[in-house]
Amino acid sequence: MEQVLLLLILLPLIGALVTAFSGNYAKHVALFSSIVSLALTTAIVCNFIPDASTQFVVHYPWIGELGIDFHIGIDGISIITVILTNVLVPLIILAGYKHDYRSQNALFALILFMQSGLLVVFTALDAFLFYIGWEAALIPIYFICAVWGGKDRIKVNMKFFVYTIAGSLFMLLGIIYLYLQNPANNFDIQAFYNLNLDEAQQGWIFWAFFIAFAIKMPIFPFHTWQPDAYEQSPTATTMVLSGVMVKMGIFAVIKWLLPFFPAAADKYAQIIIILSVTGMLYASLIAIRQDDIKRLIAYSSIAHIGLMSATLFTNSRVGLEGVMIQMFNHGVNVIGLWIVADTIEQQLGTRKFSDLGGLAQKAPTLAIMLLVMAFANIALPLTNAFIGEFLMFNGLFSYNIWIAAIAGISIILAAVYTLNMVQKVFYGNTTAVTANATDISGNVKLALVVLVLVVIALGVYPQPMIDLTKDTVGATMAGK
Amino acid sequence: MNAIILSALLGVVMMFSGIITNNKSVLKYIAAVGLLLLIAANLLDTYALFKININTHGLLSFEKFGLYFNTLAFGATFIYVCLSGRDVEKAGINVAEYFALIFFVLCGVSILSGFNGLLMLFLGIEILSIPLYILTGADKRNLKSNEASLKYFLMGSFTTGIMLMGIALFYGATGSFALEAPPVIPTMGGINPSFLQVAGLLLLFVAMAFKVSAAPFHFWTPDVYDGAPSVFTSFMATVVKAAGFIAFIRLFQNQSIVLGPSWKIILSFVIIATLLIGNITAVFQQSVKRMLAYSSIAQAGFMLFALFAGNDLSREGIILYSVAYSLATIGIFAVLIKMSDYTFDGFNGLAKKQPVLAFTTTIFLLSLAGIPLTAGFFAKYYMLAAVIKEGGALWLVIIALFFAAVSVYYYFKVIQAMYFKEGEAETTEITGGFKAGLVLLAALVVLVGPWPSIILNWFYF
C-alpha cells in the first residue's frame, strides 16, 4: 500500500508504452489504462484521511550528489488536482473515440504520458522533481498540437512553447537559488518552507516563480498564447490544456509560491489582484465579441482563471477553499463545454455562431447538456461552480470591496456571452448548416452525462470536497 | 602520458596501413580498434595500473580530471567513427590519412588536458589545429572546402601569433612558463601583477577565445564549419571544441586572479556577445548545417560559464556539458551527412520516410535545447548552478536563460520540418547498422538525462 502513489504515476507511463505499440486498438488500451488509474485514484481517495498531513509518501534517493530525491506524496491540496486529472483523462479519451485521428496510437500514448507528468507535478515534494514533471507535461502537448492541430498550428504552437519554456526557465532559476540558500543542500519542499528568506531576497525570486505560473494559468498580460493555442489544438489537447494544465499554475501558486514567499506575496498582492481582475474584465468583454465557440470558451476560461488567481492573493482562508473547489469544478465545466463544441464542429464542420442556429430542434439531448454546462459556467446556484465562486467572492470582498464589485461585473458579462452563445447556436431558426443535424449518441452522450451528474451532485452537496481540503488549506494559511 | 604516446603512434600506424591495404572499411576497423586501445591505455593510466613515466619537468601533469576527460574524448571519437566512419571514407581519396590526422588531433587533445606550462599549451594547440586545417580542406575539388581551409589556416595562424606574443610577454613578466598561482605579497595589498603579465594573459585569452569560437573572435566558425566536409565538421564541433574548453579552464584556473575584477567584466562581455550572436544569427539560418555552426557558438557561450564560475560545480559541469553536447552533435551530424539537402526544407517529411532517423534526431535536438530528461538539461543546470553559487552574476544567468529559450526556437524548427511539414526528404542509403547506432546513442542521451551520475561518478572512483 505504501507504494501506491508510485504505481499511480507509473501506470499511465506503462499505458502509454503499450498504447504506442497497439496500433488500431490504441484507443481501447488508452481508455482501459485511464480507467485503471481512475479506480486506483478512487482507492486512494477512500483511504485518504482528510487532515493536514501528507500521505502515501514515497521517498527514494535519486541524484545523491545534488540532493535530488524522488519524493512524492498527497495532501489535501494535491488530492483535488489528482482526482481532477484522473477523472478527466478517461473522459477526454472517451470524447476522442469518434475522431478519426491519424496515427492515433501516438496521440493517445502522448496523452497518457502527459497524465503521468501532471501527476508528478501534483504530487512532487521535491522542487527538482516538480520542475521535471512541469516540463515533462509540456513536451507531449507540443507534439500533439503540432501534429494534430489546425492549419496555423505550427506558428501558434511555437509561440506557446517558447512562452512556457521561458517561464519555466525562470522558475528553474528560482529553484536553484532556493537550493543554494538551503543549508540541508536538498530540494525538499519542507526545507524550502522553512527557509525564512528576508524580504529583499523574497522579492525577486517571487517574481521568477510567479512569471512561470502566470504564463501557465494564464494571467493578463501573459495570456496571449492561450486563445490561439486553444483554437488551433485538437480538441483532446484543448481539453487537457484548459481542464488540467492551467490548474498547474493555480496549484503551484498555492503549494510552491505562497508558503515560500509570504512577505513578497503580501507585498505584491495588490499588483497581482489588479492584473487578474483587469484580465477578467478584458477577457469577458472580448468573449462577448467572439463568433467562434472555441474562442469564446477560451476567453471565458481566462476570465474564470483570473478570479481564481485574484482570490489566491487575498490571504483569506475562505477564498482559498473556494479556489480549491473551483479548480476542480472549472475543470469539469470547461471539459463539458469543449465536448459540446467539438461535437458540433465534428458534425457540422463549423464553429461559427453565424452559421448555426436552431440546433435544439434537431439535437435536444445535446441542447439540454449544453444548457446545464452553460449554467455551471455562469455559476448559477445548484450547479457546482456556484459554491466555489461564492467562497471566492467572499474572500475577495474581505480584501477590498471595490475590487470585489468590479470583479462581480464579470459574472454579469459571463451570463451575457454564455447565454448569447446558447441562444445563437441552439435556438432560433435552423440554418442551411444545421438543417440535417442529428442528436448525440454513444460515447459523447456517456461522457456528457457523467459530467452533468458531477455538476449537479457537487452543486447540491459540495461538502465532501470541502472536507477533503479544508484542513490542509487551514494549515497552509497558518503556515504563512 | 600513455595517451599522448599511443595516439601519436597510432597516427603513424594509420598512415602506413594506407600502404598495406586499399580496402577502406578495413581502415575504418583499424581506427576503431586503435581507439579502443587508446581508451584502454588511458584507463590504465587513470587507475595507475600501468603508466609510462617520463620526467617532463613539470610541463605536463596528469591528474584525474584531465585523464578522465581524455577517456570521454576518445569515447566520443569512437562513437563518431562507428557512426560516421563510412562517411569519412567518402570524404576524399586519402582515407588512411584522415584517420591518421584524427589520431594526431587526439594527441593534441591529450596534451591540452594535461599541460601545466605555456610551452605545452602552445604545442597542444598546434598539434590539434594543424590536422584540422588539412581535414577542413579534405574535399579538394570543392571550392568551398578549399576556401574554408585557407580561411581557417590564415586566421588560425594569426591567432597562433597572438598566442605566442602572449606567452612571450608572460614569460618576460614571470620568468617562467609555469602556470602556478601568482604569489601573494601582503605588503602590496594582495597580488601585484606587472603590466606585461596582464597584457600577456589578455593576449592568451584572445587566442583561446578564438579557438573555442567565442564572440567577437568567432567569425571563422560559420564559414569553416559550413565549408568543411560535414563529417569533419562534426568532429571539430565536438571533441575539438570540448578540448579547447578544457585547455581554456586549465589556463585560467590559477591566473584569473591576476586580472583582478576586470576578469569577470571581460568574460561577461564575451559571454553575452557569444550568446547573442550565436543564438540570434542561428534563428535566421536557412541551412541546418549553418544553423548548427551558429548553435555551436551559442553553446560555447554556455560553456564559458564554467570559466566564469571556476568552482567545483563548474568543473563537473564542463565535463557533463562536453559529453552531452558532443553526443547530441555527433548524432545530428551523422544524420545530416545522410541528407541530400542541408536546408530546413530538406528535412521536410523525414518522419514519414525515416521514422528512426527523425525520432533520434528529435532526442538529440531536445538535448541541445536543454529539455529535462535529456543529457543537455543537467549540463545547462550545472553551468547555471555554478554561476549562481559564485554569486553576484544573476543578471548574467537571466540573460542566459533568455537565450536558452531563443535556442528552443531554432532547434524546434528542425523538429517541425521533420514531423509537421509535408515533403520528400531525400537521404542517401541508410543501413540497419547505422540506425541501430543512432538508437544506441539516443538511448545514451536519454540515460544520462535523469542520471548524470553515470558520467560524474567516475570522478570519485
Coordinates of all heavy atoms in Angstrom, one line a residue, chain A residues 62-63 65-66 68 102 113 128 131-132 135-136 139 142-143 146-147 153-155 157-158 161-162 165-166 169-170 172-173 176-177 179-180 187 204, chain B residues 313 362 366 371-373 377-378 381-382 384-385 388-389 394 397-398 401 404-405 408-409 412-413 415-416 419-421 450-453 456-457:
Chain A
W62 N 17.7 10.0 -5.5 CA 17.7 9.9 -7.0 C 19.1 10.3 -7.5 O 19.9 9.5 -7.9 CB 16.6 10.8 -7.6 CG 16.6 10.8 -9.1 CD1 17.2 10.0 -9.9 CD2 15.8 11.7 -9.9 NE1 16.9 10.3 -11.2 CE2 16.1 11.4 -11.2 CE3 15.0 12.8 -9.6 CZ2 15.5 12.1 -12.3 CZ3 14.4 13.5 -10.7 CH2 14.7 13.1 -12.0
I63 N 19.4 11.6 -7.3 CA 20.8 12.0 -7.7 C 21.4 12.5 -6.4 O 21.2 13.7 -6.0 CB 20.7 13.1 -8.8 CG1 19.9 12.6 -10.0 CG2 22.1 13.6 -9.2 CD1 19.6 13.7 -11.0
E65 N 24.4 13.3 -5.3 CA 25.4 14.4 -5.0 C 24.8 15.8 -5.2 O 25.3 16.8 -4.7 CB 26.6 14.3 -6.0 CG 26.3 14.2 -7.5 CD 26.1 12.8 -7.9 OE1 25.7 11.9 -7.2 OE2 26.5 12.5 -9.1
L66 N 23.6 15.9 -5.8 CA 22.9 17.2 -5.9 C 21.8 17.3 -4.9 O 21.1 18.3 -4.8 CB 22.3 17.4 -7.3 CG 23.3 17.5 -8.4 CD1 22.6 17.7 -9.7 CD2 24.2 18.7 -8.2
I68 N 19.0 15.6 -4.9 CA 17.7 15.4 -5.5 C 17.1 14.1 -5.2 O 17.7 13.0 -5.3 CB 17.8 15.5 -7.1 CG1 18.4 16.9 -7.4 CG2 16.5 15.3 -7.7 CD1 18.8 17.0 -8.9
R102 N -5.3 10.5 -37.3 CA -4.3 9.6 -38.0 C -3.2 9.3 -36.9 O -3.0 10.0 -36.0 CB -3.6 10.3 -39.2 CG -2.9 11.6 -38.9 CD -2.7 12.4 -40.2 NE -2.4 13.7 -39.8 CZ -1.2 14.2 -39.6 NH1 -0.2 13.4 -39.6 NH2 -1.0 15.5 -39.3
F113 N 1.2 9.9 -21.5 CA 2.5 10.3 -21.0 C 2.3 11.6 -20.2 O 2.9 11.8 -19.1 CB 3.4 10.5 -22.2 CG 4.8 10.9 -21.8 CD1 5.7 9.9 -21.3 CD2 5.2 12.2 -21.9 CE1 7.0 10.3 -21.0 CE2 6.5 12.6 -21.5 CZ 7.4 11.6 -21.1
F128 N 12.9 19.8 -7.5 CA 13.5 19.4 -8.7 C 12.6 18.5 -9.5 O 12.4 18.6 -10.7 CB 14.9 18.8 -8.5 CG 15.8 18.9 -9.7 CD1 16.5 20.1 -9.8 CD2 15.8 18.0 -10.7 CE1 17.3 20.2 -10.9 CE2 16.6 18.2 -11.8 CZ 17.3 19.3 -11.9
Y131 N 9.9 20.4 -11.0 CA 10.3 21.1 -12.3 C 10.3 20.1 -13.5 O 9.8 20.3 -14.6 CB 11.7 21.7 -12.1 CG 12.2 22.3 -13.4 CD1 11.7 23.6 -13.8 CD2 13.1 21.7 -14.2 CE1 12.1 24.2 -14.9 CE2 13.5 22.3 -15.4 CZ 13.0 23.5 -15.8 OH 13.4 24.1 -16.9
I132 N 10.8 18.9 -13.2 CA 10.9 17.9 -14.2 C 9.5 17.5 -14.7 O 9.2 17.4 -15.9 CB 11.6 16.6 -13.7 CG1 13.0 16.9 -13.3 CG2 11.6 15.5 -14.8 CD1 14.1 16.7 -14.3
E135 N 8.0 20.2 -16.9 CA 8.4 20.2 -18.3 C 7.9 18.9 -19.0 O 7.5 19.0 -20.2 CB 9.9 20.2 -18.4 CG 10.5 21.5 -17.8 CD 10.4 22.7 -18.8 OE1 11.0 22.6 -19.8 OE2 9.7 23.6 -18.4
A136 N 7.9 17.8 -18.3 CA 7.5 16.6 -19.0 C 6.1 16.6 -19.4 O 5.7 16.0 -20.4 CB 7.7 15.4 -18.0
I139 N 6.0 18.7 -23.0 CA 6.6 18.2 -24.3 C 5.5 17.5 -25.1 O 5.3 17.7 -26.3 CB 7.7 17.3 -24.0 CG1 8.8 18.0 -23.2 CG2 8.3 16.7 -25.3 CD1 9.6 18.9 -23.9
Y142 N 3.2 19.8 -26.9 CA 3.8 20.4 -28.1 C 3.6 19.5 -29.3 O 3.2 19.9 -30.4 CB 5.3 20.6 -27.8 CG 6.1 21.0 -29.1 CD1 6.0 22.3 -29.5 CD2 6.8 20.1 -29.8 CE1 6.6 22.7 -30.7 CE2 7.4 20.5 -31.0 CZ 7.3 21.8 -31.4 OH 8.0 22.2 -32.6
F143 N 3.9 18.2 -29.1 CA 3.8 17.3 -30.2 C 2.4 17.1 -30.7 O 2.1 17.0 -31.9 CB 4.5 16.0 -29.9 CG 6.0 16.1 -30.1 CD1 6.8 16.3 -29.0 CD2 6.6 16.0 -31.3 CE1 8.1 16.4 -29.1 CE2 7.9 16.1 -31.4 CZ 8.7 16.3 -30.3
A146 N 1.2 20.2 -32.5 CA 1.9 20.4 -33.8 C 1.5 19.4 -34.8 O 1.5 19.6 -36.0 CB 3.4 20.5 -33.6
V147 N 1.2 18.1 -34.4 CA 0.9 17.1 -35.4 C -0.6 17.1 -35.7 O -1.0 17.0 -36.9 CB 1.3 15.7 -34.9 CG1 0.9 14.6 -35.9 CG2 2.8 15.7 -34.7
R153 N -1.2 25.8 -36.8 CA -0.7 25.1 -35.6 C 0.8 25.4 -35.4 O 1.2 25.6 -34.3 CB -1.0 23.6 -35.7 CG -0.3 23.0 -36.9 CD -0.7 21.5 -37.0 NE 0.2 20.8 -37.8 CZ 0.1 20.7 -39.1 NH1 -1.1 21.1 -39.7 NH2 0.9 20.0 -39.9
I154 N 1.6 25.4 -36.5 CA 3.0 25.4 -36.3 C 3.4 26.7 -35.7 O 4.2 26.8 -34.7 CB 3.7 25.2 -37.6 CG1 3.4 23.7 -38.0 CG2 5.2 25.4 -37.5 CD1 4.1 23.3 -39.3
K155 N 2.9 27.8 -36.2 CA 3.2 29.2 -35.6 C 2.7 29.3 -34.2 O 3.4 29.7 -33.3 CB 2.6 30.2 -36.6 CG 3.4 31.5 -36.6 CD 2.8 32.5 -37.6 CE 1.8 33.3 -36.9 NZ 0.8 33.9 -37.7
N157 N 1.8 27.1 -32.1 CA 2.4 26.2 -31.2 C 3.8 26.6 -30.7 O 4.2 26.5 -29.6 CB 2.5 24.8 -31.9 CG 2.6 23.7 -31.0 OD1 2.2 23.9 -29.8 ND2 3.1 22.6 -31.4
M158 N 4.5 27.2 -31.7 CA 5.9 27.7 -31.3 C 5.8 28.8 -30.3 O 6.6 28.8 -29.4 CB 6.6 28.2 -32.6 CG 8.0 28.4 -32.4 SD 8.9 27.0 -31.9 CE 9.9 26.6 -33.3
F161 N 5.0 27.3 -27.0 CA 6.1 26.5 -26.4 C 7.2 27.4 -25.9 O 7.7 27.2 -24.8 CB 6.6 25.5 -27.5 CG 7.4 24.5 -26.9 CD1 6.9 23.5 -26.1 CD2 8.8 24.4 -27.1 CE1 7.6 22.5 -25.6 CE2 9.6 23.4 -26.6 CZ 9.0 22.5 -25.8
V162 N 7.6 28.4 -26.7 CA 8.7 29.2 -26.3 C 8.3 30.1 -25.1 O 9.0 30.3 -24.1 CB 9.1 30.1 -27.5 CG1 10.1 31.2 -27.0 CG2 9.7 29.3 -28.6
I165 N 8.3 27.7 -22.0 CA 9.7 27.3 -21.7 C 10.4 28.5 -21.0 O 11.1 28.3 -20.0 CB 10.5 26.9 -23.0 CG1 10.1 25.5 -23.4 CG2 12.0 26.9 -22.8 CD1 10.9 24.4 -22.7
A166 N 10.2 29.7 -21.6 CA 10.9 30.8 -21.0 C 10.4 31.0 -19.6 O 11.2 31.2 -18.6 CB 10.5 32.1 -21.8
L169 N 12.0 28.3 -17.3 CA 13.4 28.6 -17.0 C 13.6 29.5 -15.9 O 14.5 29.4 -15.1 CB 14.1 29.1 -18.3 CG 14.4 28.0 -19.4 CD1 14.9 28.7 -20.6 CD2 15.3 27.0 -18.9
F170 N 12.7 30.5 -15.8 CA 12.8 31.4 -14.7 C 12.5 30.7 -13.4 O 13.1 31.0 -12.3 CB 11.9 32.6 -14.9 CG 12.4 33.7 -15.7 CD1 12.0 33.8 -17.0 CD2 13.5 34.5 -15.3 CE1 12.6 34.7 -17.9 CE2 14.0 35.4 -16.1 CZ 13.6 35.5 -17.4
L172 N 13.2 27.7 -12.8 CA 14.4 26.9 -12.5 C 15.4 27.7 -11.8 O 16.0 27.3 -10.9 CB 14.9 26.3 -13.9 CG 16.2 25.5 -13.7 CD1 15.9 24.2 -12.9 CD2 16.8 25.1 -15.1
L173 N 15.5 29.0 -12.3 CA 16.5 29.9 -11.7 C 16.1 30.1 -10.2 O 17.0 30.0 -9.3 CB 16.4 31.2 -12.4 CG 17.2 32.4 -11.9 CD1 18.6 32.2 -12.3 CD2 16.7 33.7 -12.6
I176 N 17.0 26.9 -8.2 CA 18.4 26.8 -7.9 C 18.8 27.7 -6.8 O 19.6 27.4 -5.9 CB 19.3 27.1 -9.2 CG1 18.9 26.1 -10.3 CG2 20.7 27.0 -8.9 CD1 19.7 26.4 -11.6
Y177 N 18.2 29.0 -6.9 CA 18.6 29.9 -5.8 C 18.2 29.4 -4.5 O 19.0 29.5 -3.5 CB 17.9 31.3 -6.1 CG 18.4 32.4 -5.2 CD1 19.5 33.1 -5.5 CD2 17.6 32.7 -4.1 CE1 19.9 34.1 -4.6 CE2 18.0 33.7 -3.2 CZ 19.2 34.4 -3.5 OH 19.6 35.3 -2.6
Y179 N 17.7 26.4 -3.5 CA 18.5 25.3 -3.2 C 19.8 25.7 -2.6 O 20.3 25.2 -1.6 CB 18.8 24.5 -4.5 CG 19.9 23.4 -4.4 CD1 19.8 22.3 -3.7 CD2 21.1 23.6 -5.1 CE1 20.8 21.4 -3.6 CE2 22.1 22.7 -5.1 CZ 21.9 21.6 -4.4 OH 22.9 20.6 -4.3
L180 N 20.4 26.8 -3.2 CA 21.7 27.2 -2.7 C 21.6 27.9 -1.3 O 22.5 28.0 -0.6 CB 22.4 28.1 -3.7 CG 22.8 27.4 -5.0 CD1 23.2 28.4 -6.0 CD2 23.9 26.4 -4.7
F187 N 16.4 19.6 -2.2 CA 15.3 20.3 -2.8 C 14.0 20.0 -2.1 O 12.9 20.2 -2.7 CB 15.2 19.9 -4.3 CG 16.3 20.4 -5.2 CD1 17.4 19.7 -5.3 CD2 16.2 21.6 -5.8 CE1 18.4 20.1 -6.2 CE2 17.2 22.1 -6.6 CZ 18.3 21.3 -6.8
W204 N 12.6 39.2 -5.6 CA 12.8 38.8 -7.0 C 12.6 37.4 -7.3 O 12.1 37.0 -8.4 CB 14.2 39.3 -7.5 CG 15.3 38.6 -6.9 CD1 16.0 38.9 -5.8 CD2 15.8 37.3 -7.4 NE1 17.0 37.9 -5.6 CE2 16.9 37.0 -6.5 CE3 15.5 36.5 -8.5 CZ2 17.6 35.8 -6.7 CZ3 16.2 35.4 -8.6 CH2 17.3 35.0 -7.8
Chain B
L313 N 31.7 22.8 -8.9 CA 30.5 22.5 -9.7 C 30.7 22.7 -11.1 O 30.2 22.0 -12.0 CB 29.3 23.4 -9.1 CG 27.9 22.9 -9.1 CD1 27.9 21.6 -8.5 CD2 27.0 23.9 -8.4
T362 N 15.3 14.1 -33.1 CA 14.5 14.8 -32.1 C 15.1 14.8 -30.7 O 15.2 15.8 -30.1 CB 13.1 14.3 -32.1 OG1 12.5 14.3 -33.4 CG2 12.2 15.1 -31.2
L366 N 16.4 17.9 -28.6 CA 15.9 18.2 -27.3 C 17.0 18.3 -26.3 O 17.0 19.2 -25.4 CB 14.9 17.1 -26.8 CG 13.6 17.0 -27.5 CD1 12.8 15.8 -27.0 CD2 12.8 18.3 -27.4
I371 N 16.2 20.4 -22.7 CA 14.9 20.0 -22.2 C 15.1 18.9 -21.1 O 15.9 18.0 -21.4 CB 14.0 19.5 -23.3 CG1 13.9 20.5 -24.4 CG2 12.7 19.1 -22.8 CD1 13.1 21.7 -24.1
P372 N 14.5 19.0 -20.0 CA 14.7 18.0 -19.0 C 14.5 16.5 -19.5 O 13.7 16.3 -20.4 CB 13.6 18.3 -17.9 CG 13.3 19.7 -18.1 CD 13.5 20.0 -19.6
L373 N 15.1 15.6 -18.8 CA 15.1 14.2 -19.1 C 16.0 13.9 -20.3 O 16.1 12.7 -20.7 CB 13.7 13.6 -19.4 CG 12.7 13.7 -18.2 CD1 11.4 13.1 -18.6 CD2 13.2 13.1 -17.0
F377 N 20.0 18.8 -20.3 CA 19.4 19.6 -19.3 C 20.3 19.8 -18.1 O 20.6 20.9 -17.6 CB 18.1 19.0 -18.8 CG 17.5 19.6 -17.6 CD1 17.0 20.9 -17.6 CD2 17.6 18.9 -16.4 CE1 16.5 21.5 -16.5 CE2 17.1 19.5 -15.2 CZ 16.6 20.8 -15.3
F378 N 20.9 18.7 -17.6 CA 21.7 18.8 -16.4 C 23.0 19.5 -16.8 O 23.6 20.1 -15.9 CB 22.0 17.4 -15.8 CG 21.0 17.0 -14.8 CD1 20.1 16.1 -14.9 CD2 21.1 17.7 -13.6 CE1 19.2 15.8 -13.9 CE2 20.2 17.4 -12.6 CZ 19.2 16.5 -12.8
Y381 N 22.1 22.9 -16.4 CA 21.8 23.1 -15.0 C 23.1 23.3 -14.2 O 23.1 24.3 -13.4 CB 21.0 21.9 -14.4 CG 20.8 21.9 -13.0 CD1 19.7 22.6 -12.4 CD2 21.7 21.3 -12.1 CE1 19.5 22.7 -11.1 CE2 21.5 21.4 -10.7 CZ 20.4 22.1 -10.2 OH 20.3 22.2 -8.9
Y382 N 24.0 22.5 -14.4 CA 25.3 22.6 -13.7 C 26.0 24.0 -13.9 O 26.5 24.6 -13.0 CB 26.3 21.5 -14.1 CG 26.2 20.3 -13.2 CD1 25.2 19.3 -13.4 CD2 27.0 20.1 -12.1 CE1 25.2 18.2 -12.6 CE2 27.0 19.0 -11.3 CZ 26.0 18.0 -11.5 OH 26.0 17.0 -10.7
L384 N 24.5 26.8 -14.8 CA 23.8 27.9 -14.2 C 24.0 27.8 -12.6 O 24.2 28.9 -12.0 CB 22.3 27.8 -14.5 CG 22.0 28.0 -16.0 CD1 20.5 27.9 -16.2 CD2 22.5 29.3 -16.5
A385 N 23.9 26.6 -12.1 CA 24.0 26.5 -10.7 C 25.4 26.9 -10.2 O 25.5 27.6 -9.2 CB 23.8 25.0 -10.3
I388 N 25.4 30.7 -10.2 CA 24.6 31.2 -9.1 C 25.3 31.0 -7.7 O 25.3 31.9 -6.8 CB 23.2 30.6 -9.0 CG1 22.4 30.9 -10.3 CG2 22.4 31.1 -7.9 CD1 21.1 30.2 -10.5
K389 N 26.0 29.9 -7.6 CA 26.7 29.6 -6.4 C 27.8 30.6 -6.1 O 28.0 31.0 -5.0 CB 27.3 28.2 -6.5 CG 27.7 27.6 -5.2 CD 28.2 26.2 -5.3 CE 28.8 25.7 -4.0 NZ 29.5 24.4 -4.3
L394 N 23.8 37.2 -11.2 CA 22.5 36.7 -11.5 C 21.9 37.3 -12.8 O 21.3 36.6 -13.6 CB 21.5 37.0 -10.4 CG 21.1 35.7 -9.7 CD1 21.1 35.8 -8.3 CD2 19.8 35.3 -10.2
V397 N 23.0 35.1 -15.6 CA 22.2 33.9 -15.7 C 20.8 34.2 -16.3 O 20.4 33.4 -17.1 CB 22.0 33.3 -14.3 CG1 21.1 32.1 -14.3 CG2 23.3 32.9 -13.7
I398 N 20.2 35.3 -16.0 CA 18.9 35.6 -16.5 C 19.0 35.8 -18.0 O 18.2 35.3 -18.8 CB 18.3 36.9 -15.8 CG1 18.0 36.5 -14.4 CG2 17.1 37.4 -16.6 CD1 17.6 37.6 -13.6
L401 N 19.3 32.5 -19.6 CA 18.0 31.8 -19.7 C 17.2 32.3 -20.8 O 16.5 31.5 -21.5 CB 17.2 32.0 -18.4 CG 17.8 31.3 -17.2 CD1 17.0 31.6 -15.9 CD2 17.7 29.8 -17.4
A404 N 18.5 30.7 -23.8 CA 18.1 29.3 -23.9 C 16.7 29.1 -24.5 O 16.5 28.2 -25.2 CB 18.2 28.7 -22.5
A405 N 15.9 30.0 -24.1 CA 14.5 30.0 -24.7 C 14.5 30.3 -26.2 O 13.8 29.7 -27.0 CB 13.6 31.0 -24.0
V408 N 15.5 27.3 -28.2 CA 14.4 26.3 -28.4 C 13.8 26.5 -29.8 O 13.5 25.6 -30.5 CB 13.4 26.4 -27.3 CG1 12.1 25.6 -27.6 CG2 13.9 25.9 -26.0
Y409 N 13.7 27.8 -30.1 CA 13.0 28.1 -31.4 C 13.7 27.5 -32.6 O 13.1 26.8 -33.4 CB 13.0 29.6 -31.6 CG 12.4 30.1 -32.9 CD1 11.1 30.0 -33.1 CD2 13.3 30.5 -33.9 CE1 10.6 30.4 -34.4 CE2 12.8 30.9 -35.1 CZ 11.4 30.8 -35.3 OH 10.9 31.2 -36.6
F412 N 13.8 23.6 -32.6 CA 12.5 23.0 -32.9 C 12.1 23.2 -34.3 O 11.2 22.5 -34.8 CB 11.4 23.6 -31.9 CG 11.4 22.8 -30.6 CD1 12.5 22.7 -29.8 CD2 10.2 22.1 -30.2 CE1 12.5 21.9 -28.7 CE2 10.2 21.3 -29.1 CZ 11.3 21.3 -28.3
K413 N 12.7 24.2 -35.0 CA 12.4 24.3 -36.4 C 12.7 23.1 -37.2 O 12.0 22.7 -38.1 CB 13.2 25.5 -37.0 CG 12.2 26.7 -37.2 CD 13.0 28.0 -37.5 CE 13.7 28.0 -38.8 NZ 14.4 29.3 -39.1
I415 N 12.7 20.0 -35.9 CA 11.6 19.0 -35.5 C 10.4 19.3 -36.3 O 9.7 18.4 -36.8 CB 11.4 19.1 -34.0 CG1 12.6 18.8 -33.2 CG2 10.2 18.2 -33.6 CD1 12.5 18.8 -31.7
Q416 N 10.0 20.6 -36.4 CA 8.8 20.9 -37.2 C 8.9 20.4 -38.6 O 8.0 19.9 -39.1 CB 8.7 22.5 -37.2 CG 8.1 23.0 -36.0 CD 8.0 24.6 -36.1 OE1 8.5 25.1 -37.1 NE2 7.3 25.2 -35.2
Y419 N 8.5 16.6 -38.7 CA 7.3 16.0 -38.3 C 6.0 16.6 -38.9 O 5.1 16.0 -39.2 CB 7.2 15.9 -36.8 CG 7.9 14.8 -36.2 CD1 9.2 15.0 -35.8 CD2 7.3 13.6 -36.0 CE1 9.9 13.9 -35.2 CE2 8.0 12.5 -35.5 CZ 9.3 12.7 -35.1 OH 10.0 11.7 -34.5
F420 N 6.1 18.0 -39.0 CA 4.8 18.6 -39.2 C 4.7 19.2 -40.6 O 3.7 19.7 -41.0 CB 4.6 19.8 -38.2 CG 5.0 19.4 -36.8 CD1 5.7 20.3 -36.0 CD2 4.6 18.2 -36.3 CE1 6.0 19.9 -34.7 CE2 5.0 17.8 -35.1 CZ 5.7 18.7 -34.3
K421 N 5.7 19.1 -41.4 CA 5.6 19.6 -42.8 C 5.6 18.4 -43.8 O 6.3 17.4 -43.5 CB 6.8 20.6 -43.1 CG 6.6 21.8 -42.2 CD 7.5 23.0 -42.7 CE 7.2 24.2 -41.9 NZ 8.4 25.1 -41.9
P450 N 18.2 11.7 -16.8 CA 17.9 11.6 -15.4 C 19.0 11.2 -14.5 O 18.9 11.4 -13.3 CB 16.7 10.6 -15.4 CG 16.5 10.2 -16.8 CD 17.6 10.6 -17.6
W451 N 20.0 10.5 -15.0 CA 21.1 10.0 -14.1 C 22.4 10.6 -14.6 O 23.3 9.8 -15.1 CB 21.1 8.5 -14.1 CG 19.9 7.9 -13.5 CD1 19.6 7.9 -12.2 CD2 18.7 7.4 -14.1 NE1 18.4 7.3 -12.0 CE2 17.8 7.0 -13.1 CE3 18.4 7.2 -15.5 CZ2 16.6 6.4 -13.4 CZ3 17.2 6.6 -15.8 CH2 16.3 6.2 -14.7
P452 N 22.7 11.9 -14.4 CA 24.0 12.4 -14.8 C 25.2 11.7 -14.0 O 26.3 11.8 -14.4 CB 23.9 13.9 -14.4 CG 22.8 14.0 -13.4 CD 21.9 12.9 -13.7
S453 N 24.8 11.1 -12.9 CA 25.9 10.4 -12.1 C 26.6 9.3 -12.9 O 27.7 9.0 -12.6 CB 25.3 9.9 -10.8 OG 23.9 9.6 -11.0
L456 N 29.3 11.5 -14.0 CA 30.0 12.3 -13.0 C 30.6 11.4 -11.9 O 31.7 11.8 -11.3 CB 29.1 13.3 -12.4 CG 28.7 14.4 -13.4 CD1 27.7 15.3 -12.8 CD2 29.9 15.1 -13.9
N457 N 30.0 10.2 -11.6 CA 30.5 9.4 -10.5 C 31.9 9.0 -10.7 O 32.6 8.7 -9.8 CB 29.6 8.2 -10.3 CG 28.5 8.6 -9.3 OD1 28.5 9.7 -8.8 ND2 27.6 7.6 -9.0

